[in-house]
Amino acid sequence: MNDTRNSHGGGEDDNLIRTSRSPDWSVREQACLDMSGHLSNPNVVRRITELLDDPDIAVQVTAAHVLARRGGTQGLSAVLDTLGQRIDDPDADHIAYKLQELQGLEELPILERARSILTDTRSDAVRLGVAEIEKLFGHYA
């Protein structure tokens, strides 16, 4: 099979993952955006989730955007988990503001989806993440 997106034989997904490890933050950010079309590959989802803790805030925010917008329940859960783990990190506020932007400007049901995740999770970090966005923009719903 010659599917260039096949992660087992090198392919496009592996190239994007490699690119996302560049020392240049702007290259990592672009790779994150490029990976958004490959979320059926668990290795891509894992790598974008890792980018939530990137040293550069712009990359973190882009990863949150990709996961919340295109990653389904698993993607939003990863973002909420990161928020909960980094509750005292002021840099994590940028991720929460991105979620607020998605809720308000793009009219994505972030808060509704987060609340539904909350009913199905046992993760304290996810619970803290949901509580944080409730404080920030719970008035939207």
Side-chain angles (χ1 to χ4, degrees), residues 80-138:
L80 294 169
D81 184 71
T82 296
L83 282 176
Q85 289 181 41
R86 295 173 56 193
I87 202 77
D88 294 323
D89 179 355
D91 288 343
D93 290 348
H94 297 279
I95 293 172
Y97 295 141
K98 175 50 79 175
L99 294 178
Q100 182 180 26
E101 179 183 306
L102 291 171
Q103 174 81 34
L105 297 178
E106 297 189 31
E107 299 180 356
L108 290 176
I110 299 295
L111 196 52
E112 179 183 324
R113 289 173 47 208
R115 288 172 176 159
S116 72
I117 290 168
L118 187 59
T119 62
D120 294 332
T121 190
R122 291 191 174 116
S123 167
D124 289 337
V126 170
R127 290 182 185 284
L128 286 170
V130 173
E132 186 66 19
I133 65 170
E134 283 279 4
K135 284 191 292 185
L136 183 62
F137 61 93

Side-chain angles (χ1 to χ4, degrees), residues 71-82:
T73 301
Q74 178 186 3
L76 183 57
S77 290
V79 175
L80 294 169
D81 184 71
T82 296

Side-chain angles (χ1 to χ4, degrees), residues 41-84:
N41 181 334
N43 292 328
V44 169
V45 173
R46 188 175 309 112
R47 179 60 188 142
I48 296 173
T49 301
E50 290 170 359
L51 290 171
L52 289 168
D53 291 315
D54 192 85
D56 190 274
I57 293 170
V59 177
Q60 294 173 21
V61 170
T62 298
H65 181 228
V66 167
L67 290 169
R69 184 171 239 306
R70 305 209 44 203
T73 301
Q74 178 186 3
L76 183 57
S77 290
V79 175
L80 294 169
D81 184 71
T82 296
L83 282 176

